[in-house]
Amino acid sequence: MAAAPAFTTTYAQLPALLHHTVTQDAASNPSWVLRNEALASQLGLDVDWLRSPAALQALAGNTPLPGATPLAMAYSGHQFGGFSPLLGDGRAQLAGEWRAPDGTLHDLHLKGSGATVFARNGDGRATLSAMLREYIVSEAFAGLGIPSTRSLAVVATGDPVYRQKKEPGAVLTRIARTHVRVGTFQLAAANRDRDALEALLQRELARNFVSPPAGLAPPRHFLRSVIARQASLIAQWMCVGFIHGVMNTDNMQVAGETIDFGPCAFMDRFHPQKVFSSIDQYGRYAWDKQPAIALWNLTRLAESLLTLLDDEQDKAITIAREELALFMPAFEQHFEEGMRAKLGWRGANADDGERIATVFTHMMRGNADFTLIFRRLTQVAGGADEAMLTPLFATQEEAAAFLAHWRERAGPAPDVNAMRRANPVYIARNHRVEEALAAANAGDLAPTHRLLAALATPFSAQDGCDDLEQPPTDEEEVRQTFCGT
Ligand code: AMP
Ligand code: MG
C-alpha cells in the first residue's frame, strides 16, 4: 500500500471573506469512471495512491485529502453583464493543494461534491455527462497546448441527479494553477476588504507570476500580466474555433488557464457570430465577441484593483486605463501570429490583419468547416491536390476565391511545418462528444476512451480515426449546448 501523499490548504490562511468550510456530503456508492494517470505522473502524484480505495473516497468528496482542509471558495461575478455580489462554489470545493516536484502548487477542486453554503437553490450535484464533457474538453485543450485547467478523475457517486430527467451523478477532480477568478477580486473589492485584496494579490503573484521587474509596482505588474495572458489565451481559442460560451467574470481565472467548460463548443461550420449556449440569447459570448468580452472582464479586474494601484483615485484610473489599452493590440498580435502559422504565411506584413479577415469572409460565405479547412489546406501546402478543398465550400467559386487569396500571400513555399503544428486533425467535435456521453450514460466508456486518445495528440492523424476528423452531417450537427449541469 502506497503512503498517502501530503496535501495542503494554503487558501485557508487567506481572510475569512474568501472561503467557507464545507461538510463532506457523502456520495453513497462511489466508483471510478476515469482516472488520468498520465496527469498524475506529470504532477508527481503517486499513481498507486490514485488507484487506491482511499483516493476513490477522497475524490468522491467523502473524506478529506490527507493533510488538507476542504473549503468552498467565495467569489462574486458579472453573469451576462449583471453583478451577483456573492456566488462562490455552490457545488464544488477546494479539496486540497498539491506541490509538484518542480515546486509549483496545484489546486485539486471537486466539482459536484455536494451543496455548500453558496448553493442557493442548487442541489450541489453534477451529472456524469457534464463532468465527462469537462474532462474531455479540458484534456483536448491540453493536447492542443492551450492553457487550461486539467481533469484528474471522474467518480460516479452512485446517486441520481435530477435535471430534465434522472441522470447518474458524478464528481470531477479539476486541477488548476489557481481557482482565483476575476470574480474573487471583485468580491474583495465590493466588500472594501483591502486585506483580502492584498492577500489575493500576493498569493497569485507568488504562485503564478514572475517577480515584478524593477520599478514596476506589484499590483500594476499583476494587472499587466493577467491582461497579457488573457490576450494570448483568447487568441489561441479563436485560432481553433473555440467558443467558451459563459465568459462571466467568475469564469475568468487570473492565471490565464481556460476554466469552466459548460456550454462551450468548437465550431464546425464557420460563422463569426456563432453561439452555442442555449442561454446566450443575444450572442454576448459569440466567437468574434470574445476579445471584447475579455477586455470588459479585465476592466472589472482593474476596477477591483484600483485602491491598490494608487492611493489617489485619479492616478489609479490612469494606470488602469494605460494597462487595459494594451489588451487589444496584444490580442491582435497573437491572433495574427496564430493565423499566419495556420495559413503557412511566412514573415509578417502590415496588411496581414486585413488578409486574415478576408480568409474568414471566404470561409463564412463558403459555410466551410473551420478545422477541416485548415487541415486540408495543410495537406495542399504539403503537395496534395488542391481539389480536396473544393467540397468543403458551399460553391466552387468560393473555394477558388479562398485558394487564390491564400496563395497570393503564401507564395510558392508556404511554411508547411508551421501549419502542421498549428492545425489540429482532431478537435472535440460536438457530435462526437455527445455520442461519447450518451454511450457513457449507458455504461459504455469505449467511445470516451477512443476520443480521449485521439485528442491527446491532435496534430497527427491516427489509424482508424477518420470518423473523428469528419464534420457532422446535417442530422448529426449539434446546434445548441446546455449548461446541463
Ligand atoms: P457556472 O455556471 O458553472 O459557472 O456556475 C455559476 C454559479 O452557480 C457558481 O456559483 C456555481 O457554484 C453555482 N452552481 C451551478 N450549479 C449548481 C448546483 N447544481 N448546485 C449548487 N450551485 C450550483
Ligand atoms: Mg463557474
Side-chain angles (χ1 to χ4, degrees):
M1 176 64 211
F7 297 88
T8 61
T9 312
T10 65
Y11 207 79
Q13 292 149 25
L14 267 58
L17 173 74
L18 299 172
H19 48 83
H20 203 281
T21 51
V22 290
T23 45
Q24 302 303 127
D25 193 350
S28 66
N29 186 19
S31 61
W32 292 112
V33 179
L34 291 173
R35 272 191 312 263
N36 194 340
E37 298 185 355
L39 176 61
S41 302
Q42 274 175 41
L43 293 169
L45 254 178
D46 185 348
V47 173
D48 286 336
W49 171 79
L50 184 62
R51 292 176 183 164
S52 70
L56 177 64
Q57 291 300 329
L59 301 188
N62 281 352
T63 53
L65 286 167
T69 315
L71 54 83
M73 292 168 73
Y75 48 87
S76 310
H78 272 95
Q79 300 178 302
F80 291 89
F83 187 61
S84 298
L86 188 57
L87 288 170
D89 294 331
R91 47 133 171 207
Q93 56 176 271
L94 177 62
E97 295 159 44
W98 171 251
R99 193 173 292 282
D102 67 359
T104 53
L105 266 173
H106 302 262
D107 288 354
L108 279 82
H109 209 81
L110 304 184
K111 192 165 173 180
S113 56
T116 73
V117 66
F118 303 117
R120 289 161 291 163
N121 297 321
D123 61 0
R125 301 293 174 185
T127 62
L128 173 65
S129 49
M131 296 305 95
L132 281 178
R133 192 165 202 279
E134 171 151 348
Y135 190 111
I136 293 168
V137 183
S138 65
E139 289 308 297
F141 265 70
L144 290 167
I146 301 177
S148 170
T149 63
R150 301 286 307 265
S151 297
L152 183 68
V154 173
V155 170
T157 58
D159 302 313
V161 174
Y162 297 91
R163 296 293 183 259
Q164 273 92 343
K165 54 185 185 344
K166 181 174 157 182
E167 294 194 43
V171 177
L172 173 84
T173 307
R174 172 164 68 190
I175 304 289
R177 291 297 298 264
T178 183
H179 280 83
V180 171
R181 311 131 193 271
V182 170
T184 320
F185 280 89
Q186 287 182 290
L187 175 74
N191 285 276
R192 300 180 191 286
D193 190 332
R194 198 182 163 101
D195 287 347
L197 270 178
E198 289 271 12
L200 283 170
L201 178 79
Q202 293 311 328
R203 176 177 195 274
E204 287 308 311
L205 279 176
R207 190 167 156 140
N208 290 315
F209 297 89
V210 297
S211 315
L216 190 62
R220 185 169 189 164
H221 169 63
F222 174 69
L223 178 61
R224 183 177 296 182
S225 308
V226 176
I227 288 171
R229 286 193 192 176
Q230 289 295 332
S232 163
L233 181 67
I234 308 296
Q236 291 181 75
W237 289 358
M238 290 178 65
C239 283
V240 292
F242 181 73
I243 301 162
H244 182 283
V246 260
M247 289 176 71
N248 296 331
T249 57
D250 54 303
N251 292 336
M252 183 182 268
Q253 182 235 45
V254 296
E257 292 178 327
T258 312
I259 191 168
D260 228 318
F261 300 87
C264 63
F266 291 86
M267 73 176 123
D268 300 302
R269 291 177 210 281
F270 175 70
H271 196 288
Q273 276 112 46
K274 185 89 114 202
V275 169
F276 284 91
S277 171
S278 60
I279 54 172
D280 190 1
Q281 290 172 29
Y282 304 105
R284 180 179 168 91
Y285 300 144
W287 179 80
D288 68 349
K289 297 266 183 57
Q290 296 181 115
I293 280 292
L295 178 57
W296 192 90
N297 290 348
L298 291 164
T299 307
R300 306 287 84 75
L301 176 66
E303 281 168 5
S304 305
L305 293 170
L306 280 180
T307 55
L308 302 185
L309 289 172
D310 201 285
D311 290 338
E312 282 179 49
Q313 200 184 43
D314 287 356
K315 283 193 187 155
I317 291 172
T318 304
I319 292 171
R321 288 221 170 101
E322 284 171 7
E323 296 304 325
L324 290 164
L326 301 174
F327 176 83
M328 276 300 173
F331 162 75
E332 274 158 23
Q333 193 192 333
H334 289 299
F335 185 60
E336 281 180 25
E337 259 167 38
M339 288 307 304
R340 274 194 292 265
K342 288 179 80 71
L343 292 159
W345 291 354
R346 295 176 189 272
N349 293 353
D351 63 352
D352 280 346
E354 286 155 55
R355 285 180 188 273
I356 289 163
T358 305
V359 166
F360 283 115
T361 304
H362 288 304
M363 284 172 59
M364 182 184 76
R365 287 204 202 123
N367 207 13
D369 182 82
F370 190 103
T371 305
L372 208 51
I373 285 289
F374 291 106
R375 162 83 175 132
R376 295 283 176 263
L377 193 65
T378 306
Q379 292 170 302
V380 168
D385 186 350
E386 61 183 43
M388 73 193 304
L389 263 167
T390 314
L392 302 182
F393 287 82
T395 64
Q396 260 188 345
E397 290 70 39
E398 228 17 271
F402 171 87
L403 260 171
H405 175 69
W406 172 70
R407 277 214 190 283
E408 188 186 76
R409 171 68 174 80
D415 190 346
V416 68
N417 288 326
M419 294 176 82
R420 288 192 184 114
R421 284 193 300 269
N423 295 318
V425 182
Y426 307 112
I427 53 158
R429 288 192 182 272
N430 288 312
H431 67 300
R432 293 299 175 215
V433 173
E434 295 300 323
E435 203 174 71
L437 300 184
N441 265 342
D444 177 12
L445 280 169
T448 299
H449 284 295
R450 180 168 175 261
L451 190 56
L452 284 169
L455 294 171
T457 53
F459 296 101
S460 45
Q462 292 152 50
D463 286 343
C465 290
D466 285 355
D467 58 313
L468 298 181
E469 189 181 345
Q470 290 308 316
T473 60
D474 284 349
E475 297 73 53
E476 286 172 331
E477 190 176 343
V478 177
R479 292 188 173 79
Q480 262 196 343
T481 49
F482 298 88
C483 278
T485 72

